[in-house]
Amino acid sequence: KSVNQLIEALGKGRNGVKGESGVSDDDLASEVLSHYSSTSESASVIEEGTGEVVDEQTAQEETEDKLKQCIDNLMDKSAKTRLAALESLRLGFSSRVLYEFLLERRFTISDCLERSLKKGGGEEQAAAATVCALLCVQLGGGVEGEEGFKMLRPILSSILIDSCASLSARQSCARALGMCYLVKSGIPVLHSTALQSWALLCTLCPASRINTILNHHMPRLHACLESSEVNFRIAVGETIALLCELGRDIDQEFEYEDCDALCDSLKNLATDGNKHRAKNDRRKQRSIFREVLHYIENEDFTEEKIQFGIEAIYIDGWMRRRIYDAFKEVLESGVRHHLQFNPLLRDIFGLGPPLILDASVKASRISRTERHLFNSAAFKARTKLRNKVRDKRADVM
């Protein structure tokens, strides 16, 4: 039998019940898995009995047609039909790369899997959870995979902690959650977020601790530039620049002891043309690392203006950028409103009390240069004052 005939039989059959051929679904499943394994190792499929060679693309298309039927069977009223369809999908997803096929159907499949997890028995829940994990592996760690995982994560978590659910279902849900978090780049994202939060705290660190941090962490961060995850590499590069800025605030002559090797690494990332990386990822990485490299070599920083109302702040350093980005991540589109009216943010960015302006004052705006000089001076004065207070606290402790 061809792989497609086997999938069709398994998708339409009944679990554990022999059909006209006298072969049970369990036997069919074994044959499908064996056939999938053999076809995935070669570029062609030979139809039994005919000797006809079917190219890989044709085999893929035929397989996808049969999998469409399996997806339709997930909505069948019969639990046995749904279970057989889930088994077919498990075998198909584990034996072929189906990204384009699944991309178009991810919401339908996720919806069907959610229904099986919510309303199916223990065996169906276990099978559905396994297919959830395979779906994540197929779609990868991008936005598309994340959409399906967000839909399925609550029910997977609910079954996992439900002491009344079947043991096999809970085990499958635990396995699916672990795999999905891994595939969704949960670990790299966690690392990136943790590193950015650590860098934020470094901006509050007393001057007496900066040298210890630099000596201990700069070599480690340098090594982390070899990470395969683009967002983590970018977070590392920005943190290196921030630490160098902290070091230069304390000592204008500060220079990382292995600066030449660091600059070589930054240059490689700033000119990375690796075609295996997504185009947008390459563009983003090159842009950020050019900026980091220019700062390390020449203390150049691309200033950014944030306008709100008649006021503006100027992001003119890595510390200031990290602080602003942290508030932006939390406040999102409301960050400009808070800069205008929130006393806390205005204090942090050296803006003073919220402005209350009448029409005549609104008409006479100060120049951009004046605002920039005022904001920069206020921020630096505030930073120096805080460092003194922190040093006193450190001495007391």
Side-chain angles (χ1 to χ4, degrees):
K1 296 178 181 179
S2 72
V3 62
N4 302 311
Q5 291 171 327
L6 292 171
I7 293 177
E8 183 176 22
L10 188 56
K12 294 182 178 179
R14 296 293 184 267
N15 187 47
V17 179
K18 293 185 178 182
E20 295 180 0
S21 65
V23 181
S24 71
D25 285 342
D26 292 338
D27 295 331
L28 286 173
S30 298
E31 291 187 56
V32 170
L33 182 57
S34 175
H35 202 120
Y36 263 128
S37 299
S38 63
T39 57
S40 64
E41 294 173 0
S42 63
S44 63
V45 178
I46 301 179
E47 294 286 3
E48 183 180 353
T50 66
E52 179 184 356
V53 178
V54 181
D55 64 57
E56 181 69 16
Q57 182 178 354
T58 301
Q60 182 88 353
E61 291 172 354
E62 291 177 355
T63 299
E64 290 177 359
D65 288 339
K66 304 308 177 184
L67 290 176
K68 290 177 186 177
Q69 182 61 52
C70 294
I71 294 170
D72 290 340
N73 287 349
L74 290 178
M75 295 177 274
D76 196 274
K77 292 182 179 180
S78 167
K80 289 185 177 180
T81 300
R82 296 195 303 271
L83 192 58
L86 287 167
E87 180 64 9
S88 285
L89 293 177
R90 181 185 72 80
L91 295 173
F93 290 5
S94 63
S95 305
R96 281 189 180 274
V97 176
L98 301 162
Y99 178 78
E100 296 296 336
F101 173 80
L102 294 175
L103 189 62
E104 300 174 358
R105 299 167 179 82
R106 64 187 186 279
F107 294 117
T108 300
I109 297 173
S110 296
D111 187 57
C112 291
L113 292 175
E114 184 181 34
R115 188 181 297 111
S116 289
L117 288 166
K118 286 182 176 179
K119 299 182 178 180
E123 190 176 2
E124 184 176 346
Q125 287 178 323
T130 299
V131 176
C132 287
L134 289 168
L135 181 63
C136 282
V137 171
Q138 288 278 352
L139 293 176
V143 175
E144 296 82 4
E146 183 67 25
E147 292 169 342
F149 184 44
K150 283 183 178 178
M151 181 188 300
L152 297 168
R153 180 173 53 198
I155 184 62
L156 289 171
S157 301
S158 177
I159 295 172
L160 174 62
I161 63 176
D162 183 1
S163 58
C164 296
S166 78
L167 182 60
S168 62
R170 295 176 71 186
Q171 288 175 331
S172 292
C173 287
R175 188 180 300 112
L177 283 167
M179 177 56 66
C180 290
Y181 273 115
L182 177 63
V183 171
K184 294 301 158 232
S185 300
I187 292 175
V189 169
L190 175 62
H191 287 170
S192 299
T193 304
L195 181 59
Q196 289 169 338
S197 297
W198 180 80
L200 181 65
L201 294 179
C202 283
T203 66
L204 302 174
C205 190
S208 57
R209 288 280 300 163
I210 296 298
N211 284 330
T212 302
I213 290 174
L214 292 170
N215 294 333
H216 187 65
H217 292 290
M218 282 292 284
R220 295 183 175 188
L221 289 169
H222 185 181
C224 286
L225 291 174
E226 300 297 325
S227 169
S228 61
E229 213 285 319
V230 63
N231 289 321
F232 182 62
R233 287 197 303 274
I234 289 172
V236 170
E238 291 175 332
T239 302
I240 287 174
L242 184 146
L243 291 182
C244 285
E245 184 177 85
L246 284 170
R248 287 167 178 170
D249 275 357
I250 297 172
D251 179 4
Q252 291 184 351
E253 303 300 321
F254 167 79
E255 184 174 303
Y256 174 50
E257 60 181 11
D258 202 8
C259 191
D260 290 341
L262 174 61
C263 287
D264 287 340
S265 299
L266 295 174
K267 286 174 185 175
N268 290 335
L269 292 168
T271 57
D272 185 12
N274 193 331
K275 298 299 182 182
H276 295 292
R277 308 192 202 282
K279 187 175 182 179
N280 288 338
D281 287 346
R282 293 200 307 270
R283 185 184 298 114
K284 181 180 179 182
Q285 175 181 285
R286 288 196 296 262
S287 175
I288 293 293
F289 279 101
R290 279 196 300 267
E291 204 171 350
V292 173
L293 180 62
H294 291 160
Y295 180 76
I296 300 297
E297 289 184 330
N298 306 311
E299 298 189 37
D300 291 339
F301 183 87
T302 304
E303 184 182 275
E304 180 184 1
K305 176 184 178 182
I306 310 297
Q307 182 79 42
F308 50 95
I310 67 168
E311 299 175 278
I313 60 172
Y314 294 87
I315 308 301
D316 54 2
W318 293 97
M319 285 188 288
R320 200 168 172 85
R321 175 183 285 181
R322 179 83 288 274
I323 294 169
Y324 174 75
D325 285 348
F327 281 110
K328 187 177 179 181
E329 288 160 9
V330 174
L331 298 172
E332 298 179 340
S333 60
V335 66
R336 294 173 189 266
H337 176 83
H338 280 264
L339 283 170
Q340 194 168 1
F341 299 108
N342 188 318
L344 172 64
L345 267 72
R346 294 185 66 84
D347 177 48
I348 288 174
F349 288 99
L351 295 168
L355 300 181
I356 302 175
L357 305 177
D358 57 28
S360 61
V361 174
K362 289 181 180 179
S364 58
R365 299 183 178 182
I366 62 175
S367 69
R368 173 184 182 278
T369 303
E370 290 174 324
R371 283 198 303 268
H372 172 55
L373 293 174
F374 174 79
N375 287 336
S376 296
F379 184 77
K380 288 178 181 178
R382 182 176 173 278
T383 301
K384 289 180 180 179
L385 179 60
R386 283 193 168 183
N387 284 339
K388 289 180 181 178
V389 173
R390 291 186 202 111
D391 283 341
K392 289 179 180 178
R393 290 175 183 171
D395 290 341
V396 171
M397 292 178 67

